[in-house]
Amino acid sequence: MKGDRKKVRLAMNLQKAFHLLLTIFVATASMLAQGQSGGSGPANQTSPNLEKGVPPIPIITGGIALNTSFDPHETVIGPVVAPIILVPLGRHALIESEFEAKSEVVHTGGSFEPVTLEKGVEYAQLDLFLGKYLTLVAGRYATPFAIYKERLDARWIRNLPAEPLIFGVGDNSSNGGMLRGALPLSSGAQLTYSGYFSALANNQFAGSERQTGLRTGLFFPGPRLEAAFSFNRRLGAERFNNYGVDFTWNARSVPLDIRSEALISQAAGYGYWVEAAYRLSSSRFSKWLRRSQAVVRGEQYFGPRVAMDTGLEMPEGDANRIFTGWNYWLTDSVRAGVAYGRQFGAEDNHNIWTLGISYRFVR
């Protein structure tokens, strides 16, 4: 009888999670359909010469993804819905916001665990363009520590479904203010910068830690190369510093992207990852293969030297991991992917297989 009641409760939890995700999906799709229907028709046939007189219009974008990972211990199914809304306010201000809802259906030990559903506001910020080289950001924003959170975290952008081992330090949003921009140093170099302060907020869907920091780097448009340094100071009950370095190179001669991050923190640990993605777009490949991409990533993590309750979701011990993946664009908006990884740990060596599909929508 107890086993039957557990199965009934599990079925009810799964049904509730499915209905909630379906409701979010339908609402998002409805907004998208309204945006598409509103943008079609004779109004879109206006001469380009009249575009200057057209006021800025809101944009609805974002994505939906479903990833499934398999390893010897458990199977995890993870649907994600993440709509994004952009609202221009004239020519000198912009409101941008992203809401994310995700769930995990975990099967381990021959049974399903209770279904979890996480909801939260990734960012809801006001951007004020104060000048050519300065933007003021106020509200809730992705903390600019290194590059993964701000640039690669979206499921339809990241090359591999699994986040890097050191992602726990940068996986957060801040409530406060930020100054950011880019300064030209010469015709072939720019200095990028962002400085921020975040207040403590215990809100369930938009919480943040009290912290401050900066990220500054050099960008070279010619070779399309950027190298940057990040500093983060946590100001909560436990105070500690995090340092990061990131590197990006989008090669011109070949369709190759190289990205890397490194973390230095006595409290959070030490580690790095290096990822290379090659687009098979050359004419020597078949037309079918030209819509695909090969990816490889290597990473290492070493535990902290100081025992401290940081509140960060980091690996429990030292770990090495390598991933290889292949992505294929079914359309310009729909991408499917498969990845294989091997984790090497002091007490945990196992394989990781991941299948996923993502859809990016835009009005």
Side-chain angles (χ1 to χ4, degrees):
M1 295 295 293
K2 291 184 178 179
D4 293 338
R5 287 197 295 269
K6 288 182 179 179
K7 290 181 180 179
V8 171
R9 286 197 298 268
L10 172 62
M12 293 177 64
N13 289 336
L14 285 171
Q15 187 177 20
K16 290 179 181 178
F18 176 78
H19 285 166
L20 182 55
L21 287 172
L22 183 62
T23 302
I24 297 173
F25 176 84
V26 171
T28 303
S30 299
M31 289 190 295
L32 174 62
Q34 292 174 3
Q36 289 176 335
S37 61
S40 60
N44 277 351
Q45 301 175 7
T46 306
S47 170
N49 294 330
L50 300 179
E51 290 183 357
K52 293 182 178 179
V54 177
I57 60 174
I59 295 175
I60 301 174
T61 182
I64 301 171
L66 177 65
N67 293 318
T68 304
S69 64
F70 310 87
D71 66 38
H73 307 293
E74 63 181 19
T75 299
V76 180
I77 303 173
V80 179
V81 180
I84 297 174
I85 300 177
L86 306 175
V87 183
L89 303 177
R91 302 292 180 180
H92 301 287
L94 172 69
I95 294 176
E96 48 182 329
S97 178
E98 177 184 359
F99 170 82
E100 182 178 271
K102 60 182 179 180
S103 181
E104 284 193 351
V105 181
V106 181
H107 183 270
T108 181
S111 63
F112 285 95
E113 295 182 358
V115 178
T116 61
L117 179 64
E118 298 181 13
K119 306 179 291 294
V121 178
E122 291 291 291
Y123 53 86
Q125 63 190 63
L126 172 65
D127 302 333
L128 296 175
F129 310 118
L130 302 181
K132 191 174 181 180
Y133 309 117
L134 176 63
T135 298
L136 171 64
V137 179
R140 181 171 177 81
Y141 50 88
T143 307
F145 184 84
I147 58 173
Y148 198 93
K149 179 66 176 181
E150 276 198 311
R151 303 183 188 180
L152 309 175
D153 188 30
R155 268 63 175 183
W156 62 90
I157 294 178
R158 61 173 68 177
N159 294 323
L160 293 169
E163 301 93 348
L165 293 170
I166 63 174
F167 182 52
V169 172
D171 184 20
N172 62 86
S173 297
S174 296
N175 294 340
M178 173 171 58
L179 293 174
R180 66 187 311 158
L183 300 172
L185 302 180
S186 66
S187 59
Q190 297 178 7
L191 174 69
T192 62
Y193 67 90
S194 57
Y196 59 93
F197 177 82
S198 171
L200 176 65
N202 294 319
N203 186 276
Q204 181 180 358
F205 303 110
S208 65
E209 298 293 333
R210 190 166 181 266
Q211 59 182 322
T212 186
L214 61 87
R215 178 184 178 275
T216 183
L218 291 174
F219 173 63
F220 304 93
R224 299 195 291 194
L225 184 150
E226 182 182 19
F229 165 80
S230 299
F231 167 75
N232 172 259
R233 172 69 174 173
R234 295 298 179 110
L235 300 171
E238 298 284 358
R239 300 196 172 197
F240 56 95
N241 297 335
N242 300 314
Y243 303 92
V245 177
D246 60 83
F247 174 84
T248 303
W249 180 38
N250 307 118
R252 286 186 177 274
S253 57
V254 293
L256 175 68
D257 295 336
I258 297 177
R259 302 183 178 101
S260 178
E261 286 183 342
L263 168 69
I264 302 174
S265 174
Q266 288 189 341
Y270 306 79
Y272 70 91
W273 61 268
V274 180
E275 180 180 284
Y278 180 78
R279 188 70 181 263
L280 283 71
S281 57
S282 173
S283 58
R284 68 175 179 270
F285 297 112
S286 65
K287 186 177 180 180
W288 183 79
L289 278 177
R290 292 175 200 169
R291 301 185 67 87
S292 64
Q293 177 191 55
V295 186
V296 61
R297 184 172 77 201
E299 51 187 322
Q300 284 188 302
Y301 173 77
F302 306 95
R305 297 178 182 175
V306 178
M308 185 181 297
D309 183 13
T310 63
L312 302 174
E313 295 186 5
M314 306 297 292
E316 295 181 358
D318 297 354
N320 302 326
R321 194 166 67 176
I322 185 168
F323 267 101
T324 59
W326 183 70
N327 298 316
Y328 185 80
W329 279 262
L330 302 172
T331 69
D332 291 341
S333 301
V334 180
R335 184 184 68 176
V338 58
Y340 164 75
R342 176 73 179 177
Q343 180 159 321
F344 306 89
E347 300 179 356
D348 187 12
N349 294 310
H350 64 274
N351 298 328
I352 306 170
W353 286 94
T354 306
L355 299 174
I357 187 167
S358 62
Y359 168 60
R360 180 187 182 187
F361 54 87
V362 64
R363 192 185 72 175

